[in-house]
Coordinates of all heavy atoms in Angstrom, one line a residue:
A1 N 0.8 -1.2 0.0 CA 0.0 0.0 0.0 C 0.9 1.3 0.0 O 0.5 2.3 -0.5 CB -0.9 0.0 1.2
S2 N 2.1 1.2 0.6 CA 2.9 2.4 0.6 C 3.4 2.8 -0.7 O 3.5 4.0 -1.0 CB 4.1 2.2 1.6 OG 4.9 1.2 1.0
G3 N 3.6 1.8 -1.6 CA 4.0 2.2 -3.0 C 2.8 2.9 -3.7 O 3.0 3.8 -4.4
R4 N 1.6 2.4 -3.5 CA 0.4 3.0 -4.1 C 0.2 4.4 -3.5 O -0.1 5.3 -4.3 CB -0.8 2.1 -3.8 CG -2.0 2.6 -4.4 CD -2.1 2.1 -5.9 NE -3.2 2.7 -6.5 CZ -3.2 3.3 -7.7 NH1 -2.1 3.4 -8.3 NH2 -4.3 3.8 -8.2
A5 N 0.5 4.6 -2.3 CA 0.4 5.9 -1.7 C 1.4 6.9 -2.2 O 1.1 8.1 -2.5 CB 0.5 5.8 -0.1
A6 N 2.6 6.4 -2.5 CA 3.7 7.2 -3.1 C 3.3 7.7 -4.5 O 3.5 8.8 -4.9 CB 5.0 6.5 -3.1
V7 N 2.7 6.8 -5.3 CA 2.3 7.1 -6.6 C 1.2 8.2 -6.5 O 1.2 9.2 -7.3 CB 1.7 5.9 -7.4 CG1 1.1 6.3 -8.7 CG2 2.8 4.9 -7.6
K8 N 0.3 8.0 -5.6 CA -0.8 9.0 -5.5 C -0.3 10.4 -5.1 O -0.7 11.4 -5.6 CB -1.8 8.5 -4.5 CG -3.1 9.4 -4.4 CD -4.1 8.8 -3.5 CE -5.4 9.6 -3.5 NZ -6.3 9.2 -4.5
R9 N 0.7 10.4 -4.2 CA 1.3 11.7 -3.7 C 2.0 12.3 -4.9 O 1.9 13.5 -5.1 CB 2.3 11.4 -2.6 CG 1.6 11.2 -1.3 CD 2.6 11.4 -0.1 NE 3.8 10.6 -0.2 CZ 4.0 9.3 0.1 NH1 2.9 8.7 0.7 NH2 5.1 8.6 0.0
L10 N 2.8 11.5 -5.7 CA 3.5 12.1 -6.9 C 2.5 12.7 -7.9 O 2.6 13.8 -8.4 CB 4.3 11.0 -7.6 CG 5.0 11.5 -8.9 CD1 6.0 12.6 -8.6 CD2 5.8 10.3 -9.5
A11 N 1.4 12.0 -8.2 CA 0.4 12.4 -9.1 C -0.3 13.7 -8.6 O -0.4 14.7 -9.3 CB -0.7 11.4 -9.3
L12 N -0.6 13.8 -7.3 CA -1.2 15.0 -6.7 C -0.2 16.1 -6.7 O -0.6 17.3 -7.0 CB -1.7 14.7 -5.3 CG -2.9 13.8 -5.1 CD1 -3.1 13.4 -3.7 CD2 -4.1 14.5 -5.7
F13 N 1.0 15.9 -6.4 CA 2.1 16.9 -6.5 C 2.2 17.5 -7.9 O 2.2 18.7 -8.0 CB 3.4 16.3 -6.0 CG 4.5 17.3 -6.1 CD1 4.7 18.3 -5.1 CD2 5.5 17.2 -7.1 CE1 5.7 19.2 -5.1 CE2 6.6 18.1 -7.1 CZ 6.7 19.1 -6.1
L14 N 2.3 16.7 -8.9 CA 2.4 17.2 -10.2 C 1.1 17.9 -10.7 O 1.2 18.8 -11.6 CB 2.7 16.1 -11.2 CG 4.1 15.5 -11.0 CD1 4.3 14.2 -11.9 CD2 5.2 16.5 -11.3
A15 N 0.0 17.6 -10.1 CA -1.3 18.2 -10.6 C -1.6 19.5 -9.9 O -2.6 20.2 -10.2 CB -2.4 17.2 -10.3
R16 N -0.7 19.9 -8.9 CA -1.0 21.2 -8.2 C -1.1 22.3 -9.2 O -0.2 22.5 -10.0 CB 0.1 21.4 -7.2 CG 0.2 20.4 -6.1 CD 1.3 20.5 -5.2 NE 0.9 21.5 -4.2 CZ 1.7 21.8 -3.2 NH1 2.9 21.3 -3.0 NH2 1.3 22.7 -2.3
P17 N -2.1 23.1 -9.1 CA -2.3 24.2 -10.1 C -1.2 25.2 -10.2 O -0.9 25.7 -11.2 CB -3.6 24.9 -9.6 CG -4.3 23.8 -8.8 CD -3.3 23.0 -8.2
R18 N -0.5 25.5 -9.1 CA 0.6 26.4 -9.1 C 1.9 25.8 -9.6 O 2.7 26.5 -10.2 CB 0.9 27.0 -7.7 CG -0.2 28.0 -7.3 CD 0.2 28.6 -6.0 NE -0.5 29.9 -5.9 CZ -0.6 30.5 -4.7 NH1 0.1 30.1 -3.7 NH2 -1.3 31.6 -4.6
L19 N 2.0 24.5 -9.5 CA 3.2 23.8 -9.9 C 3.2 23.4 -11.4 O 4.1 23.5 -12.1 CB 3.5 22.6 -9.0 CG 4.6 21.7 -9.4 CD1 5.9 22.5 -9.2 CD2 4.6 20.4 -8.7
A20 N 2.0 22.9 -11.8 CA 1.9 22.3 -13.2 C 2.5 23.2 -14.3 O 3.2 22.7 -15.1 CB 0.5 21.8 -13.4
P21 N 2.1 24.5 -14.3 CA 2.6 25.3 -15.4 C 4.1 25.6 -15.3 O 4.7 26.0 -16.3 CB 1.9 26.7 -15.2 CG 0.7 26.3 -14.3 CD 1.2 25.2 -13.4
A22 N 4.8 25.3 -14.2 CA 6.2 25.6 -14.0 C 7.1 24.4 -14.4 O 8.3 24.5 -14.6 CB 6.5 26.0 -12.6
V23 N 6.5 23.2 -14.6 CA 7.3 22.0 -14.8 C 7.6 21.9 -16.3 O 6.7 21.8 -17.1 CB 6.5 20.7 -14.4 CG1 7.3 19.5 -14.7 CG2 6.2 20.7 -12.9
E24 N 8.9 22.0 -16.6 CA 9.4 21.8 -18.0 C 10.2 20.6 -18.2 O 10.3 20.1 -19.3 CB 10.2 23.1 -18.4 CG 9.4 24.3 -18.4 CD 10.2 25.6 -18.9 OE1 11.4 25.4 -19.2 OE2 9.6 26.6 -18.9
H25 N 10.9 20.1 -17.1 CA 11.8 19.0 -17.2 C 11.4 18.0 -16.1 O 11.2 18.5 -15.0 CB 13.3 19.4 -17.1 CG 13.6 20.5 -18.0 ND1 13.8 20.4 -19.4 CD2 13.8 21.8 -17.8 CE1 14.1 21.5 -19.9 NE2 14.1 22.4 -19.0
L26 N 11.4 16.7 -16.4 CA 11.0 15.8 -15.4 C 11.9 14.5 -15.5 O 11.9 13.9 -16.5 CB 9.5 15.4 -15.6 CG 8.7 14.7 -14.5 CD1 8.7 15.6 -13.2 CD2 7.3 14.6 -14.9
D27 N 12.6 14.2 -14.4 CA 13.4 13.1 -14.4 C 12.8 12.0 -13.5 O 12.8 12.1 -12.3 CB 14.8 13.5 -13.8 CG 15.8 12.3 -13.9 OD1 15.4 11.2 -14.0 OD2 17.0 12.6 -13.8
L28 N 12.3 11.0 -14.1 CA 11.6 9.9 -13.4 C 12.4 8.6 -13.4 O 11.8 7.5 -13.2 CB 10.2 9.7 -14.0 CG 9.3 10.9 -13.9 CD1 8.0 10.7 -14.7 CD2 8.9 11.1 -12.4
R29 N 13.7 8.7 -13.7 CA 14.5 7.5 -13.8 C 14.5 6.6 -12.5 O 14.7 5.4 -12.6 CB 15.9 7.8 -14.2 CG 16.1 8.3 -15.6 CD 17.5 8.7 -15.9 NE 17.8 9.9 -15.2 CZ 19.0 10.4 -15.2 NH1 20.0 9.9 -15.8 NH2 19.2 11.6 -14.5
Q30 N 14.3 7.3 -11.4 CA 14.4 6.5 -10.1 C 13.0 6.0 -9.7 O 12.9 5.3 -8.7 CB 14.9 7.4 -9.0 CG 16.3 7.9 -9.2 CD 17.3 6.7 -9.4 OE1 17.3 5.8 -8.6 NE2 18.1 6.8 -10.4
A31 N 12.0 6.4 -10.4 CA 10.6 5.9 -10.1 C 10.5 4.5 -10.6 O 10.9 4.2 -11.7 CB 9.6 6.8 -10.8
P32 N 9.8 3.6 -9.9 CA 9.6 2.3 -10.4 C 8.7 2.3 -11.6 O 7.7 3.1 -11.6 CB 8.9 1.6 -9.2 CG 8.9 2.5 -8.0 CD 9.3 3.9 -8.5
A33 N 9.0 1.5 -12.6 CA 8.1 1.5 -13.8 C 6.7 1.1 -13.4 O 5.8 1.6 -14.1 CB 8.7 0.5 -14.8
T34 N 6.5 0.3 -12.4 CA 5.1 0.0 -12.0 C 4.3 1.3 -11.6 O 3.2 1.4 -11.9 CB 5.1 -1.0 -10.9 OG1 5.9 -0.6 -9.8 CG2 5.6 -2.4 -11.4
A35 N 5.0 2.2 -11.0 CA 4.4 3.5 -10.6 C 4.1 4.3 -11.8 O 3.1 5.0 -11.8 CB 5.3 4.2 -9.6
L36 N 5.0 4.2 -12.8 CA 4.8 5.0 -14.0 C 3.6 4.5 -14.8 O 3.2 5.2 -15.8 CB 6.0 5.0 -14.8 CG 7.3 5.6 -14.1 CD1 8.5 5.6 -15.0 CD2 7.0 7.1 -13.7
S37 N 3.1 3.4 -14.5 CA 1.9 2.8 -15.2 C 0.6 3.2 -14.6 O -0.5 2.9 -15.1 CB 2.0 1.3 -15.2 OG 3.1 0.8 -15.8
S38 N 0.6 4.1 -13.6 CA -0.6 4.5 -12.8 C -1.4 5.5 -13.7 O -0.9 6.5 -14.1 CB -0.1 5.2 -11.5 OG -1.1 6.0 -11.1
P39 N -2.7 5.2 -13.8 CA -3.6 6.1 -14.5 C -3.6 7.5 -13.9 O -3.8 8.5 -14.6 CB -5.0 5.4 -14.4 CG -4.7 4.0 -14.2 CD -3.4 3.9 -13.4
E40 N -3.5 7.6 -12.5 CA -3.5 8.9 -11.9 C -2.3 9.7 -12.3 O -2.4 10.9 -12.5 CB -3.5 8.7 -10.3 CG -4.7 8.1 -9.7 CD -4.6 6.6 -9.5 OE1 -3.7 6.0 -10.1 OE2 -5.5 6.1 -8.9
L41 N -1.1 9.0 -12.4 CA 0.1 9.7 -12.8 C -0.1 10.1 -14.3 O 0.3 11.2 -14.7 CB 1.3 8.8 -12.6 CG 2.6 9.5 -13.0 CD1 2.9 10.7 -12.1 CD2 3.8 8.5 -12.9
H42 N -0.6 9.3 -15.1 CA -0.8 9.6 -16.5 C -1.7 10.9 -16.7 O -1.4 11.7 -17.5 CB -1.5 8.5 -17.3 CG -0.6 7.3 -17.4 ND1 -1.0 6.2 -18.1 CD2 0.6 7.0 -17.0 CE1 0.0 5.3 -18.1 NE2 1.0 5.8 -17.4
E43 N -2.7 11.0 -15.9 CA -3.6 12.1 -15.9 C -2.8 13.4 -15.5 O -3.0 14.4 -16.1 CB -4.8 11.9 -15.0 CG -5.9 13.0 -15.1 CD -7.1 12.7 -14.3 OE1 -7.4 11.5 -14.1 OE2 -7.7 13.7 -13.9
S44 N -2.0 13.3 -14.5 CA -1.2 14.4 -14.0 C -0.2 14.8 -15.1 O 0.0 16.0 -15.3 CB -0.5 14.1 -12.7 OG -1.4 13.9 -11.7
L45 N 0.4 13.9 -15.7 CA 1.4 14.2 -16.8 C 0.7 15.0 -17.9 O 1.3 16.0 -18.4 CB 2.0 13.0 -17.3 CG 3.0 12.2 -16.4 CD1 3.3 10.9 -17.0 CD2 4.2 13.1 -16.2
G46 N -0.5 14.6 -18.3 CA -1.2 15.2 -19.4 C -1.6 16.7 -19.1 O -1.9 17.4 -20.0
A47 N -1.6 17.0 -17.8 CA -1.9 18.3 -17.3 C -0.7 19.3 -17.1 O -0.8 20.3 -16.5 CB -2.8 18.3 -16.1
L48 N 0.5 18.9 -17.6 CA 1.7 19.7 -17.5 C 1.9 20.4 -18.8 O 2.5 19.9 -19.7 CB 2.9 18.8 -17.2 CG 2.8 18.0 -15.8 CD1 4.0 17.1 -15.7 CD2 2.7 19.0 -14.7
P49 N 1.3 21.6 -18.9 CA 1.3 22.3 -20.2 C 2.6 22.7 -20.8 O 2.7 22.9 -22.0 CB 0.4 23.6 -19.9 CG 0.6 23.8 -18.5 CD 0.7 22.4 -17.9
R50 N 3.6 22.9 -19.9 CA 4.9 23.3 -20.4 C 6.0 22.3 -20.4 O 7.2 22.6 -20.6 CB 5.4 24.5 -19.6 CG 4.3 25.7 -19.7 CD 4.7 26.9 -18.9 NE 5.6 27.6 -19.8 CZ 6.3 28.6 -19.4 NH1 6.3 29.0 -18.1 NH2 7.1 29.3 -20.2
L51 N 5.6 21.0 -20.2 CA 6.6 19.9 -20.1 C 7.3 19.8 -21.5 O 6.7 19.6 -22.5 CB 5.9 18.6 -19.7 CG 6.9 17.4 -19.5 CD1 7.8 17.7 -18.3 CD2 6.1 16.2 -19.2
K52 N 8.6 19.9 -21.4 CA 9.4 19.8 -22.7 C 10.1 18.5 -22.8 O 10.2 18.0 -23.9 CB 10.5 20.9 -22.7 CG 10.0 22.3 -22.7 CD 11.1 23.3 -22.7 CE 10.5 24.7 -22.7 NZ 11.6 25.7 -22.6
D53 N 10.6 17.9 -21.7 CA 11.3 16.6 -21.8 C 11.2 15.9 -20.5 O 11.0 16.4 -19.4 CB 12.7 16.8 -22.2 CG 13.5 17.7 -21.3 OD1 13.8 17.3 -20.1 OD2 13.8 18.8 -21.7
T54 N 11.3 14.5 -20.6 CA 11.3 13.7 -19.5 C 12.3 12.5 -19.7 O 12.5 12.0 -20.8 CB 9.9 13.2 -19.2 OG1 9.9 12.4 -17.9 CG2 9.3 12.3 -20.3
L55 N 12.8 12.0 -18.6 CA 13.7 10.9 -18.6 C 13.0 9.8 -17.8 O 12.4 10.0 -16.7 CB 15.0 11.2 -17.9 CG 15.9 12.2 -18.5 CD1 17.1 12.5 -17.6 CD2 16.4 11.8 -19.9
I56 N 12.9 8.6 -18.4 CA 12.2 7.5 -17.7 C 13.1 6.2 -17.8 O 14.0 6.1 -18.6 CB 10.9 7.2 -18.3 CG1 11.0 6.8 -19.8 CG2 9.9 8.3 -18.2 CD1 9.7 6.3 -20.4
P57 N 12.9 5.3 -16.9 CA 13.7 4.1 -16.9 C 13.4 3.2 -18.1 O 12.3 3.1 -18.6 CB 13.3 3.4 -15.6 CG 12.0 3.9 -15.3 CD 11.9 5.3 -15.8
W58 N 14.4 2.5 -18.6 CA 14.2 1.6 -19.7 C 13.7 0.2 -19.1 O 12.8 -0.4 -19.7 CB 15.5 1.4 -20.4 CG 15.5 0.3 -21.4 CD1 16.2 -0.9 -21.4 CD2 14.8 0.3 -22.7 NE1 15.9 -1.6 -22.6 CE2 15.1 -0.9 -23.4 CE3 13.9 1.3 -23.3 CZ2 14.5 -1.2 -24.6 CZ3 13.4 1.0 -24.5 CH2 13.7 -0.2 -25.2
H59 N 14.2 -0.2 -18.0 CA 13.9 -1.5 -17.5 C 12.8 -1.4 -16.4 O 12.5 -0.4 -15.9 CB 15.1 -2.2 -16.8 CG 16.2 -2.4 -17.8 ND1 16.2 -3.4 -18.8 CD2 17.4 -1.8 -17.9 CE1 17.3 -3.4 -19.5 NE2 18.1 -2.4 -19.0
G60 N 12.1 -2.6 -16.2 CA 11.2 -2.7 -15.1 C 9.7 -2.6 -15.6 O 8.8 -2.9 -14.8
W61 N 9.4 -2.2 -16.8 CA 8.1 -2.2 -17.3 C 7.5 -3.6 -17.4 O 8.2 -4.5 -17.8 CB 8.0 -1.5 -18.6 CG 8.5 -0.1 -18.6 CD1 9.8 0.3 -18.8 CD2 7.7 1.1 -18.3 NE1 9.9 1.7 -18.7 CE2 8.6 2.2 -18.4 CE3 6.4 1.3 -18.1 CZ2 8.2 3.5 -18.2 CZ3 6.0 2.6 -17.9 CH2 6.9 3.7 -17.9
A62 N 6.2 -3.7 -17.1 CA 5.6 -5.0 -17.2 C 5.6 -5.5 -18.7 O 5.7 -6.7 -19.0 CB 4.1 -5.0 -16.7
S63 N 5.5 -4.5 -19.6 CA 5.5 -4.8 -21.0 C 5.8 -3.6 -21.8 O 5.8 -2.5 -21.3 CB 4.1 -5.4 -21.5 OG 3.1 -4.3 -21.4
T64 N 6.1 -3.7 -23.1 CA 6.3 -2.6 -23.9 C 5.0 -1.8 -24.1 O 5.0 -0.5 -24.3 CB 6.8 -2.9 -25.3 OG1 5.9 -3.9 -25.9 CG2 8.2 -3.6 -25.2
T65 N 3.9 -2.4 -24.0 CA 2.6 -1.8 -24.0 C 2.4 -0.8 -22.8 O 1.9 0.3 -23.0 CB 1.4 -2.8 -24.0 OG1 1.6 -3.7 -25.1 CG2 0.1 -2.1 -24.0
E66 N 2.9 -1.2 -21.7 CA 2.8 -0.3 -20.5 C 3.7 1.0 -20.7 O 3.3 2.1 -20.4 CB 3.3 -1.0 -19.2 CG 2.4 -2.1 -18.7 CD 1.0 -1.5 -18.2 OE1 1.1 -0.4 -17.6 OE2 0.0 -2.1 -18.5
R67 N 4.9 0.8 -21.3 CA 5.7 1.9 -21.6 C 5.0 2.8 -22.6 O 5.0 4.1 -22.5 CB 7.1 1.5 -22.1 CG 8.0 2.7 -22.3 CD 9.5 2.3 -22.6 NE 9.6 1.2 -23.5 CZ 10.2 0.0 -23.2 NH1 10.6 -0.2 -22.0 NH2 10.2 -1.0 -24.1
M68 N 4.4 2.2 -23.6 CA 3.7 3.0 -24.7 C 2.6 3.8 -24.1 O 2.3 5.0 -24.5 CB 3.2 2.1 -25.8 CG 2.7 2.8 -27.0 SD 3.9 3.9 -27.8 CE 5.0 2.7 -28.4
H69 N 1.8 3.2 -23.1 CA 0.7 4.0 -22.4 C 1.3 5.2 -21.7 O 0.7 6.3 -21.8 CB 0.0 3.1 -21.4 CG -0.9 2.1 -22.0 ND1 -2.0 2.4 -22.9 CD2 -0.9 0.7 -21.9 CE1 -2.6 1.3 -23.2 NE2 -2.0 0.3 -22.7
F70 N 2.4 5.1 -21.1 CA 3.1 6.2 -20.4 C 3.4 7.3 -21.5 O 3.1 8.5 -21.3 CB 4.3 5.8 -19.7 CG 5.1 6.9 -19.1 CD1 4.7 7.3 -17.8 CD2 6.1 7.6 -19.8 CE1 5.4 8.4 -17.2 CE2 6.7 8.7 -19.2 CZ 6.4 9.1 -17.9
L71 N 4.1 6.9 -22.5 CA 4.5 7.8 -23.6 C 3.3 8.5 -24.2 O 3.4 9.7 -24.5 CB 5.3 7.1 -24.6 CG 6.7 6.5 -24.1 CD1 7.4 5.8 -25.2 CD2 7.6 7.6 -23.5
R72 N 2.2 7.9 -24.3 CA 1.0 8.5 -24.9 C 0.4 9.5 -23.9 O -0.3 10.5 -24.3 CB -0.1 7.4 -25.2 CG 0.2 6.6 -26.4 CD -0.9 5.7 -26.7 NE -0.6 4.8 -27.8 CZ -0.7 3.5 -27.8 NH1 -1.3 2.9 -26.7 NH2 -0.4 2.8 -28.8
A73 N 0.6 9.3 -22.6 CA 0.1 10.2 -21.6 C 0.8 11.5 -21.5 O 0.3 12.5 -21.0 CB 0.1 9.5 -20.2
L74 N 2.0 11.6 -22.1 CA 2.8 12.8 -22.0 C 2.1 13.9 -22.9 O 1.4 13.5 -23.8 CB 4.2 12.6 -22.6 CG 5.1 11.7 -21.8 CD1 6.4 11.4 -22.6 CD2 5.5 12.3 -20.5
P75 N 2.2 15.1 -22.5 CA 1.7 16.2 -23.4 C 2.3 16.1 -24.8 O 3.4 15.7 -25.0 CB 2.1 17.5 -22.7 CG 2.4 17.1 -21.3 CD 2.9 15.7 -21.3
R76 N 1.5 16.3 -25.8 CA 1.9 16.2 -27.2 C 3.2 17.1 -27.4 O 3.2 18.2 -27.0 CB 0.8 16.7 -28.1 CG 1.1 16.5 -29.6 CD 0.0 16.9 -30.5 NE -1.2 16.1 -30.2 CZ -1.5 14.9 -30.7 NH1 -0.7 14.3 -31.5 NH2 -2.6 14.3 -30.4
G77 N 4.2 16.4 -28.0 CA 5.4 17.1 -28.3 C 6.5 17.1 -27.3 O 7.5 17.6 -27.4
T78 N 6.2 16.3 -26.2 CA 7.2 16.2 -25.1 C 8.3 15.2 -25.6 O 8.0 14.1 -26.0 CB 6.6 15.7 -23.8 OG1 5.5 16.6 -23.4 CG2 7.6 15.5 -22.7
W79 N 9.5 15.6 -25.5 CA 10.7 14.8 -25.8 C 10.9 13.8 -24.7 O 10.8 14.2 -23.5 CB 11.9 15.7 -26.0 CG 13.1 14.9 -26.5 CD1 14.1 14.5 -25.7 CD2 13.4 14.6 -27.8 NE1 15.0 13.8 -26.6 CE2 14.6 13.9 -27.8 CE3 12.7 14.7 -29.0 CZ2 15.2 13.4 -29.0 CZ3 13.3 14.3 -30.2 CH2 14.5 13.6 -30.2
F80 N 11.1 12.5 -25.0 CA 11.4 11.5 -23.9 C 12.7 10.8 -24.3 O 13.1 10.7 -25.4 CB 10.2 10.5 -23.8 CG 10.0 9.7 -25.0 CD1 10.8 8.5 -25.1 CD2 9.1 10.0 -26.0 CE1 10.6 7.7 -26.2 CE2 9.0 9.2 -27.1 CZ 9.7 8.0 -27.2
K81 N 13.3 10.3 -23.2 CA 14.5 9.4 -23.3 C 14.2 8.3 -22.3 O 14.0 8.5 -21.1 CB 15.8 10.1 -23.0 CG 16.2 11.1 -24.0 CD 17.5 11.8 -23.7 CE 17.9 12.8 -24.7 NZ 19.2 13.4 -24.4
C82 N 14.4 7.1 -22.8 CA 14.4 5.9 -21.9 C 15.8 5.5 -21.6 O 16.6 5.2 -22.6 CB 13.6 4.7 -22.6 SG 11.9 5.0 -22.9
V83 N 16.2 5.5 -20.4 CA 17.6 5.4 -20.0 C 17.8 4.1 -19.1 O 17.0 3.9 -18.2 CB 18.0 6.6 -19.2 CG1 19.5 6.5 -18.8 CG2 17.7 7.9 -20.0
D84 N 18.8 3.3 -19.4 CA 19.1 2.1 -18.6 C 19.8 2.5 -17.3 O 20.2 3.7 -17.1 CB 19.8 1.0 -19.4 CG 21.2 1.3 -19.7 OD1 21.8 2.3 -19.2 OD2 21.8 0.6 -20.5
A85 N 20.1 1.6 -16.5 CA 20.8 1.8 -15.2 C 22.2 2.4 -15.3 O 22.7 3.1 -14.4 CB 20.8 0.5 -14.3
Q86 N 22.8 2.2 -16.4 CA 24.2 2.7 -16.6 C 24.1 4.1 -17.3 O 25.2 4.7 -17.6 CB 25.0 1.8 -17.5 CG 25.4 0.5 -16.8 CD 24.3 -0.5 -16.7 OE1 23.4 -0.6 -17.6 NE2 24.2 -1.2 -15.6
G87 N 22.9 4.6 -17.5 CA 22.8 6.0 -18.1 C 22.8 6.0 -19.6 O 22.7 7.0 -20.3
F88 N 22.7 4.8 -20.3 CA 22.7 4.7 -21.7 C 21.3 4.9 -22.2 O 20.3 4.3 -21.7 CB 23.1 3.2 -22.1 CG 23.2 3.0 -23.6 CD1 24.2 3.5 -24.4 CD2 22.2 2.3 -24.2 CE1 24.2 3.3 -25.7 CE2 22.2 2.1 -25.6 CZ 23.2 2.6 -26.3
V89 N 21.1 5.8 -23.2 CA 19.8 6.1 -23.8 C 19.5 5.0 -24.7 O 20.1 4.8 -25.8 CB 19.8 7.5 -24.5 CG1 18.5 7.7 -25.2 CG2 20.1 8.6 -23.5
C90 N 18.4 4.2 -24.4 CA 18.0 3.1 -25.2 C 17.1 3.5 -26.4 O 17.2 3.0 -27.5 CB 17.3 2.0 -24.4 SG 18.4 1.4 -23.1
I91 N 16.1 4.4 -26.1 CA 15.3 5.0 -27.1 C 15.0 6.4 -26.7 O 15.0 6.8 -25.5 CB 14.0 4.2 -27.4 CG1 13.0 4.2 -26.1 CG2 14.2 2.8 -27.9 CD1 11.6 3.7 -26.4
E92 N 14.7 7.2 -27.7 CA 14.3 8.6 -27.5 C 13.4 9.0 -28.6 O 13.4 8.5 -29.7 CB 15.5 9.5 -27.3 CG 16.4 9.6 -28.5 CD 17.6 10.5 -28.3 OE1 17.4 11.7 -27.9 OE2 18.7 10.0 -28.4
G93 N 12.5 10.0 -28.3 CA 11.6 10.4 -29.3 C 10.7 11.5 -28.8 O 11.0 12.1 -27.8
V94 N 9.5 11.6 -29.4 CA 8.5 12.6 -29.0 C 7.3 11.9 -28.6 O 6.7 11.1 -29.4 CB 8.3 13.6 -30.2 CG1 7.2 14.6 -29.8 CG2 9.5 14.2 -30.7
G95 N 6.8 12.2 -27.4 CA 5.6 11.5 -26.9 C 4.4 12.3 -27.0 O 4.3 13.4 -27.6
G96 N 3.3 11.8 -26.5 CA 2.0 12.5 -26.5 C 1.2 12.0 -27.7 O 1.7 11.6 -28.7
G97 N -0.1 12.1 -27.6 CA -1.0 11.7 -28.7 C -1.1 10.2 -28.8 O -0.6 9.4 -28.0
R98 N -1.7 9.7 -29.9 CA -2.0 8.3 -30.1 C -0.7 7.5 -30.4 O -0.7 6.3 -30.1 CB -3.0 8.1 -31.2 CG -4.4 8.7 -30.7 CD -5.4 8.4 -31.8 NE -5.5 7.0 -31.8 CZ -6.5 6.4 -32.4 NH1 -7.4 7.0 -33.1 NH2 -6.5 5.0 -32.5
S99 N 0.2 8.1 -31.1 CA 1.4 7.4 -31.5 C 2.7 8.1 -31.3 O 3.1 8.9 -32.1 CB 1.3 7.1 -33.1 OG 0.1 6.4 -33.4
P100 N 3.3 7.9 -30.1 CA 4.6 8.5 -29.8 C 5.6 8.1 -30.9 O 5.5 7.0 -31.5 CB 5.0 7.9 -28.5 CG 3.7 7.5 -27.8 CD 2.8 7.1 -29.0
V101 N 6.5 9.0 -31.3 CA 7.4 8.7 -32.3 C 8.8 8.5 -31.8 O 9.4 9.3 -31.1 CB 7.5 10.0 -33.3 CG1 8.5 9.7 -34.4 CG2 6.1 10.2 -33.9
V102 N 9.3 7.3 -32.0 CA 10.7 7.0 -31.6 C 11.6 7.4 -32.7 O 11.5 7.0 -33.9 CB 10.9 5.4 -31.4 CG1 12.3 5.1 -31.1 CG2 10.0 5.0 -30.2
L103 N 12.5 8.4 -32.4 CA 13.4 9.0 -33.3 C 14.7 8.3 -33.4 O 15.5 8.4 -34.3 CB 13.6 10.5 -33.1 CG 12.3 11.3 -33.2 CD1 12.5 12.7 -32.8 CD2 11.7 11.2 -34.6
R104 N 15.1 7.6 -32.3 CA 16.4 6.9 -32.2 C 16.2 5.7 -31.3 O 15.7 5.9 -30.2 CB 17.5 7.8 -31.7 CG 18.9 7.2 -31.7 CD 19.9 8.2 -31.3 NE 19.9 8.4 -29.8 CZ 20.5 7.5 -28.9 NH1 21.1 6.4 -29.3 NH2 20.5 7.8 -27.7
A105 N 16.6 4.6 -31.7 CA 16.6 3.4 -30.9 C 18.0 2.8 -31.0 O 18.6 2.6 -32.1 CB 15.6 2.4 -31.4
A106 N 18.6 2.4 -29.9 CA 19.9 1.8 -29.8 C 19.7 0.3 -30.2 O 18.6 -0.3 -30.0 CB 20.5 1.9 -28.4
R107 N 20.7 -0.3 -30.7 CA 20.7 -1.7 -30.9 C 20.8 -2.4 -29.6 O 21.8 -2.3 -28.9 CB 21.9 -2.2 -31.8 CG 21.7 -1.7 -33.2 CD 22.8 -2.3 -34.1 NE 22.6 -1.9 -35.4 CZ 22.7 -2.7 -36.4 NH1 23.2 -3.9 -36.2 NH2 22.5 -2.3 -37.6
L108 N 19.8 -3.2 -29.3 CA 19.7 -3.9 -28.0 C 19.8 -5.4 -28.2 O 19.4 -5.9 -29.1 CB 18.4 -3.5 -27.2 CG 18.3 -2.0 -27.0 CD1 16.9 -1.8 -26.4 CD2 19.3 -1.5 -26.0

């Protein structure tokens, strides 16, 4: 339950009316991928009007579909990078909308 509570706190924090317009960069590499699959967090991400870029973990997602749901939840035009534990960028592109665009994928 504490993990669920932490996700809820993060979603509420990002959704704060005074904070949301100020968020331009978001580093979520330390967040568990399971937390990044939360519908509450997806809703909060979509409400960040000035978000320009975000870093997310490459590993830990339940499936590539879960990662795609997260990328779709980003505001349209937000640059994303999926980074592994060593800091290597595995994929990067532009998120938001129905079809996030992967502009670069490393050979894995």
